[in-house]
Amino acid sequence: MRFKTDSLNKMNDEISEFVDDLAEALESETHVRRRYKHVMVCGMGASAIGGAIFADSMYYSSKVSVDSCKTMALPEWVDKDTLFVACSYSGETYETIFMYKLALDAGLDVITVTHGGKLRKLSEEIGTPIVPIKGKDMQPRSAIGWFIGILGAIIEDAGGPGIRHQLRMMLPRLREYQREIESEDGIAWRIAKDLEGHVPVVYGAPDMEAIAVRMKNQLNENSKIIAFSGVVPEFNHNEVVGWYDDPYRTKFMPVVICDDRLVEISKILKATLDLLESRDVPVSVIDTKGESLLERMIYGIMVGDHISLYIAALHGIDPCNVDPITDIKSRIRKELNKPD
């Protein structure tokens, strides 16, 4: 599929190359030489989503705990059995570089995953292992295939389950999902059109919380629209009241990412959807596909990424422009350089 502008076509190519990026990333040398009890993944934005995906997908099945860290301080529980992974596509992310130095000061084993920039230069100077993101330059948010593949390999080598084999086995199915999703009568175009005139609020089943955040982020960056995210069943203990009573509720549209693996959660989701519909709230549902939780999460990423691209196309938006992020980073640098 080709679009009217170079920017839309560039983003389309980057999103469409997700599976190829994932396949290549799985062949990366991780430099992990021992096993750990914990893997802490540090990053911001798209660079953090890979860690969040594995923190959710491995919650029930891994003896190695995975945490996604976004703070500016280390928790007290980190120790010599913690592998710290600093992720930044650009290598220029202030928060990630700050945490990288903090992890070194704490005596942790550190690996960097980056395409270049200051983080790579620091790693080379200090001598910490680097797992490079290869290929042509792309928007950092489009490097999600690289982050999933590299982090999966790192976690496996650190003592986690056989993620490489699991991901390699699903590659043919992911390519088939790609063809389905890109179809003009597919789910992504349908939801993109349904969202016209509404503010999206993306909800995930408990295991899909990271995917809801990813879709929200993509709608913010690619589509240039305000969007929010949340999780069910937590929704039913607070947010439901607003959806039930707020007279402006129909200006918003919940997009619910479902996972039917847990029967009780499926029943709760059905009750939630029934309530929303009873209050005349328009709802879009993404029923995820896949033979494992990780595969269903990746399917959700693929659908959400395409929805964000198609909304940009419908609005004639440049999905590659990130001037607001450049602006806020400039303002942050000024504040950080001010004397206390």
Side-chain angles (χ1 to χ4, degrees), residues 91-112:
E92 301 292 334
T93 308
Y94 171 81
E95 295 89 345
T96 306
I97 294 171
F98 181 93
M99 290 296 292
Y100 167 84
K101 294 176 181 177
L102 214 58
L104 287 176
D105 290 343
L108 302 182
D109 289 344
V110 176
I111 291 175
T112 58

Side-chain angles (χ1 to χ4, degrees), residues 166 169-170 173-174 177 180 208 258-261 287-300 302:
Q166 185 181 352
M169 292 299 292
M170 71 175 71
R173 294 190 295 276
L174 296 182
Y177 300 153
E180 292 175 7
M208 295 289 161
C258 296
D259 174 21
D260 62 4
R261 188 176 54 88
D287 290 312
T288 54
K289 298 181 181 182
E291 298 181 6
S292 66
L293 173 56
L294 180 57
E295 185 173 334
R296 289 192 288 274
M297 294 177 82
I298 292 174
Y299 175 86
M302 295 170 72

Side-chain angles (χ1 to χ4, degrees), residues 29-44:
E29 167 57 51
T30 67
H31 309 289
V32 178
R33 299 293 180 256
R34 53 164 288 212
R35 293 178 173 245
Y36 298 84
K37 290 182 180 179
H38 315 287
V39 176
M40 175 171 282
V41 182
C42 177
M44 300 297 294

Side-chain angles (χ1 to χ4, degrees), residues 46-338:
S47 298
I49 290 296
I53 288 166
F54 286 112
D56 287 351
S57 68
M58 296 172 56
Y59 181 80
Y60 307 99
S61 60
S62 176
K63 294 180 180 179
V64 176
S65 66
V66 179
D67 288 273
S68 182
C69 168
K70 294 186 181 183
T71 62
M72 301 293 283
L74 290 169
E76 287 294 328
W77 57 258
V78 299
D79 56 22
K80 299 295 184 182
D81 278 321
T82 302
L83 175 63
F84 187 91
V85 187
C87 295
S88 171
Y89 179 83
S90 68
E92 301 292 334
T93 308
Y94 171 81
E95 295 89 345
T96 306
I97 294 171
F98 181 93
M99 290 296 292
Y100 167 84
K101 294 176 181 177
L102 214 58
L104 287 176
D105 290 343
L108 302 182
D109 289 344
V110 176
I111 291 175
T112 58
V113 180
T114 184
H115 189 60
K118 293 179 183 176
L119 185 60
R120 179 161 188 160
K121 184 178 179 181
L122 263 176
S123 300
E124 291 170 344
E125 291 173 351
I126 295 170
T128 53
I130 304 166
V131 186
I133 296 175
K134 302 175 184 177
K136 61 187 179 183
D137 289 345
M138 65 181 80
Q139 293 292 325
R141 57 192 176 276
S142 299
I144 184 66
W146 282 98
F147 282 115
I148 292 174
I150 290 173
L151 288 173
I154 288 173
I155 293 165
E156 177 179 335
D157 290 348
I163 301 171
R164 285 188 186 89
H165 177 72
Q166 185 181 352
L167 287 167
R168 285 177 182 135
M169 292 299 292
M170 71 175 71
L171 289 174
R173 294 190 295 276
L174 296 182
R175 295 189 191 282
E176 182 58 34
Y177 300 153
Q178 183 84 23
R179 287 188 285 271
E180 292 175 7
I181 293 166
E182 289 180 343
S183 168
E184 291 190 22
D185 59 355
I187 184 173
W189 269 115
R190 176 176 59 78
I191 293 179
K193 292 172 182 175
D194 287 347
L195 284 169
E196 276 292 298
H198 297 92
V199 176
V201 187
V202 189
Y203 290 102
D207 295 332
M208 295 289 161
E209 184 173 5
I211 309 309
V213 172
R214 166 68 179 186
M215 181 174 170
K216 186 272 295 182
N217 291 351
Q218 290 291 82
L219 291 168
N220 294 151
E221 292 197 67
N222 285 342
S223 312
K224 309 296 187 280
I225 58 175
I226 295 173
F228 304 93
S229 66
V231 63
V232 178
E234 178 66 25
F235 168 98
N236 297 318
H237 298 270
N238 35 64
E239 290 173 69
V240 64
V241 179
W243 287 105
Y244 199 92
D245 288 330
D246 194 323
Y248 294 103
R249 63 186 178 274
T250 56
K251 296 184 181 295
F252 297 78
M253 179 179 284
V255 179
V256 183
I257 306 174
C258 296
D259 174 21
D260 62 4
R261 188 176 54 88
L262 298 175
V263 174
E264 294 303 316
I265 293 296
S266 294
K267 292 178 179 179
I268 291 172
L269 280 168
K270 184 180 185 307
T272 303
L273 293 172
D274 287 347
L275 179 140
L276 289 168
E277 291 172 1
S278 75
R279 302 300 294 167
D280 297 321
V281 175
V283 182
S284 282
V285 176
I286 299 173
D287 290 312
T288 54
K289 298 181 181 182
E291 298 181 6
S292 66
L293 173 56
L294 180 57
E295 185 173 334
R296 289 192 288 274
M297 294 177 82
I298 292 174
Y299 175 86
I301 288 172
M302 295 170 72
V303 172
D305 284 9
H306 282 85
I307 290 171
S308 71
L309 171 69
Y310 298 157
I311 290 176
L314 289 169
H315 293 178
I317 294 293
D318 175 357
C320 296
N321 182 282
V322 287
D323 286 346
I325 294 176
T326 303
D327 185 9
I328 189 61
K329 286 184 177 180
S330 175
R331 293 170 185 268
I332 289 171
R333 281 194 298 270
K334 289 178 182 178
E335 287 297 322
L336 291 170
N337 290 328
K338 285 183 179 178

